[in-house]
Amino acid sequence: VDSDTTASSQTFSTSIASASNVLSGTTSASKTVYFKTEADVAISVSKSTTTVAGENIVYTFTVTNNGPSYSRSVHLLYAVPTSYTTHVSSVTTKGSCSYSSPNVDCTIGDMSDGEVQTITSTITILTGTASGQAVQVLPYITSTTTDTVPGNSASSQTSDSTTVSRICDLANHHV
């Protein structure tokens, strides 16, 4: 069965030539085989070092299908913390992303064994955000294919959390 076959059943037919088949008039047989496709879809996250209120943070989500089969209907999902950030954009190398506050849904679609896709997402830290506020984005992947290693399909790297700092530009003017 090819790695791009979807989970289902398949009927295989073959011709059989044997003395007993010839005598009985039977020269073919079929057998239904059930199989299940599985894939290990993983995510890794990196982000820009910007943590200043009023500036952008750029996240790069890398989604990898480690196989052995196709992974069907892959989505990357995460929520934008809207009380202190705003969503600017999300772009994927395959498929499309949509934003409906506070959720981002990037539809990647089917991924072949070994395929890697990248999503770049930009959010702005609101200017009134308090210094020390943690900005946390926790993406996860969904697929209609059984994931053999579900623990790497979500970012448990709460280290994808960033602490906001504020910059104050004070000028000392003497008259």
Side-chain angles (χ1 to χ4, degrees), residues 27-49:
T27 58
S28 66
S30 67
K31 176 75 175 168
T32 300
V33 177
Y34 294 92
F35 57 91
K36 181 178 176 183
T37 57
E38 297 177 330
D40 170 21
V41 183
I43 185 169
S44 63
V45 181
S46 63
K47 64 181 176 313
S48 62
T49 57

Side-chain angles (χ1 to χ4, degrees), residues 30-128:
S30 67
K31 176 75 175 168
T32 300
V33 177
Y34 294 92
F35 57 91
K36 181 178 176 183
T37 57
E38 297 177 330
D40 170 21
V41 183
I43 185 169
S44 63
V45 181
S46 63
K47 64 181 176 313
S48 62
T49 57
T50 299
T51 58
V52 178
E55 295 186 12
N56 291 339
I57 299 176
V58 178
Y59 288 91
T60 303
F61 307 111
T62 304
V63 179
T64 305
N65 180 5
N66 295 313
S69 300
Y70 267 63
S71 187
R72 302 288 183 186
S73 302
V74 177
H75 286 256
L76 171 88
L77 305 137
Y78 67 93
V80 175
T82 57
S83 58
Y84 46 87
T85 66
T86 187
H87 179 260
V88 176
S89 67
S90 292
V91 179
T92 180
T93 53
K94 179 181 180 182
S96 63
C97 296
S98 62
Y99 175 70
S100 179
S101 185
N103 300 310
V104 175
D105 179 356
C106 295
T107 303
I108 298 169
D110 296 347
M111 292 181 68
S112 63
D113 179 6
E115 185 174 341
V116 177
Q117 295 299 327
T118 303
I119 294 94
T120 304
S121 188
T122 304
I123 63 174
T124 300
I125 304 169
L126 299 176
T127 54

